[in-house]
Amino acid sequence: MARKTKEETLATRDGILDAAEACFQESGIANTSLEKIAARAGFTRGAVYWHFKNKGEILAAVITRCRVPFLQKLEQASSGSRNTPVQDLRAVFLNSWMELEASPRLRGLLEIMLRNDLSSDSQILRQTHAEGFRDCNARIISAFNRAHALGQLRPGVSAEHAARLLHITLTGVLYNSIFQPGSIDMHRDGMAALDALLGALVTADSFVPGQAPTPPA
């Protein structure tokens, strides 16, 4: 048998992750087996094992694949080459919420990520969450540090404290939008909550409350 090219290997891996994501949303994490993922992907169980040791690795990879583009956008918001870190940070979250509202796939994946129980699968999920939180928080702190260097944080506000409050606000918006979907409008109410928080943390000239975010680059 000819050796697979790098592109073919990556395509197989992505196919496994696509199938796993669909199985997790349809059957739940606990009721999804490697056999079910392999059958959904159209591969053998051995092909799945060639890429992943177990279901936990697949679950972590599914979440990481979804998270990486978001982290890259946060990285841009803290760039030293830009002078609008607050505006950029705000745009990242508002654009992400609009993408989430428009994509049933992303909403389903987020619901999987937010649901936890005491199973070993959920322990892996919590560990992946913790890693994701550290990565996300580090980038938000970096953006607020950039804002501080530009004189855009209010006196007495630290980048670390601002990042903690922002994370609490964002988590509340996401939980309510997923588990009580009729209770809030993610874009309207999320923007209002985000703007109210930022108004207490940054100077008035750092962003325009209520302004539609610029489309993602």
Side-chain angles (χ1 to χ4, degrees):
M1 179 185 294
R3 185 179 182 86
K4 281 190 174 183
T5 65
K6 181 179 180 180
E7 290 75 16
E8 289 173 331
T9 299
L10 290 175
T12 299
R13 185 179 189 276
D14 282 341
I16 293 170
L17 294 181
D18 289 342
E21 188 176 314
C23 289
F24 290 150
Q25 291 189 29
E26 292 173 1
S27 306
I29 298 173
N31 293 324
T32 295
S33 64
L34 290 179
E35 290 82 359
K36 184 177 289 188
I37 293 172
R40 181 66 176 258
F43 300 128
T44 65
R45 194 165 182 265
V48 174
Y49 270 119
W50 194 88
H51 288 272
F52 302 100
K53 293 179 181 177
N54 50 49
K55 185 172 65 175
E57 277 197 1
I58 296 177
L59 177 60
V62 165
I63 294 172
T64 299
R65 184 175 67 163
C66 177
R67 191 173 62 215
V68 166
F70 178 70
L71 292 177
Q72 291 173 338
K73 294 173 186 175
L74 283 180
E75 193 75 37
Q76 295 171 3
S78 62
S79 170
S81 65
R82 295 181 62 80
N83 295 323
T84 55
V86 175
Q87 181 177 309
D88 294 342
L89 194 62
R90 177 179 179 272
V92 168
F93 288 111
L94 293 180
N95 282 320
S96 295
W97 289 342
M98 286 190 286
E99 292 172 9
L100 188 61
E101 278 193 311
S103 173
R105 170 186 164 266
L106 289 178
R107 289 181 64 83
L109 185 56
L110 180 62
E111 183 171 351
I112 290 171
M113 293 166 63
L114 293 178
R115 289 189 183 277
N116 280 301
D117 52 39
L118 298 179
S119 68
S120 59
D121 293 325
S122 284
Q123 290 175 15
I124 294 170
L125 194 58
R126 285 192 292 274
Q127 180 181 348
T128 306
H129 270 321
E131 294 169 356
F133 171 78
R134 287 193 295 269
D135 290 341
C136 179
N137 200 53
R139 287 162 173 79
I140 294 174
I141 289 174
S142 182
F144 278 129
N145 274 327
R146 176 65 177 157
H148 180 265
L150 294 168
Q152 295 177 1
L153 286 189
R154 291 189 182 277
V157 175
S158 70
E160 291 77 10
H161 183 58
R164 283 196 299 273
L165 293 179
L166 181 58
H167 185 263
I168 292 170
T169 301
L170 299 176
T171 301
V173 170
L174 291 176
Y175 265 95
N176 278 277
S177 67
I178 293 298
F179 297 120
Q180 300 182 48
S183 66
I184 68 169
D185 179 294
M186 184 185 292
H187 180 63
R188 181 198 64 209
D189 299 330
M191 179 188 289
L194 180 58
D195 286 352
L197 175 64
L198 290 176
L201 299 175
V202 305
T203 58
D205 58 350
S206 301
F207 76 104
V208 180
Q211 185 179 64
T214 56

